[in-house]
Amino acid sequence: MSSTVDEAIGFTAEEVDTSAPTRSARLKWVVVVDADIPSGRAVNAAVCVAAATVDAVAGVLGPDAVDADGATHPGLPWAGCTILTADAATLRAIRGKAAAHPGTFVADMPSAAQATRVYDEYIESVAAERAEEIEYLAVSIVGPRNRVDKIVGKLPLMA
């Protein structure tokens, strides 16, 4: 996975409003997965780019929930996260468009991540490929709502 951050992207504490609808959040989060890979690989890719996103984008997770018995359930994305699908060429184009916009966070998962079992081998594999040769399995994007909507267009939800 790699990320592109030109500036700190995320929500300030004042922006986190867990009582508001997700559409009212300033930033939108989408994960786009290659529609042509098997479901297990697709889920793995989506989870991996989501992990990179949560680590890098401030304020994405809401507070923990506590049930009636006192058990804590860790916070989830309070502003939502939509999982979409696209073919490989569209996924590459979406990643390029998102990475070109300052103020937009991008985390991606090259196919080399699932082709290796040792992280150092993954790093070496990516280093050996030119940017235009990298095949992506998933891309996570967080940015201004209108910009993200334009980048992903009307892609279908993952089925």
Side-chain angles (χ1 to χ4, degrees):
M1 286 164 286
S2 68
S3 62
T4 302
V5 180
D6 295 327
E7 56 189 65
I9 298 168
F11 295 99
T12 64
E14 296 78 32
E15 289 180 293
V16 176
D17 184 355
T18 59
S19 68
T22 58
R23 291 184 188 260
S24 67
R26 176 180 59 85
L27 301 175
K28 181 173 184 172
W29 181 13
V30 299
V31 173
V32 185
V33 179
D34 185 333
D36 298 324
I37 61 175
S39 59
R41 290 183 59 208
V43 170
N44 172 268
V47 168
C48 289
V49 295
T53 301
V54 169
D55 188 51
V57 179
V60 169
L61 298 181
D64 294 349
V66 178
D67 65 30
D69 294 321
T72 301
H73 305 269
L76 298 173
W78 68 273
C81 177
T82 305
I83 311 297
L84 307 169
T85 60
D87 61 68
T90 302
L91 185 60
R92 173 186 301 284
I94 286 169
R95 186 209 177 274
K97 288 177 186 175
H101 285 284
T104 302
F105 172 83
V106 177
D108 60 53
M109 184 166 183
S111 62
Q114 288 185 353
T116 58
R117 297 280 182 239
V118 176
Y119 199 80
D120 284 351
E121 291 173 7
Y122 157 69
I123 291 171
E124 291 170 10
S125 179
V126 171
E129 291 186 86
R130 297 185 47 80
E132 64 269 8
E133 297 170 342
I134 295 175
E135 295 178 25
Y136 297 101
L137 302 180
V139 174
S140 175
I141 304 166
V142 178
R145 183 167 293 283
N146 61 350
R147 182 179 304 147
V148 173
D149 284 341
K150 284 180 183 176
I151 291 170
V152 299
K154 300 210 181 280
L155 292 175
L157 289 170
M158 184 176 193

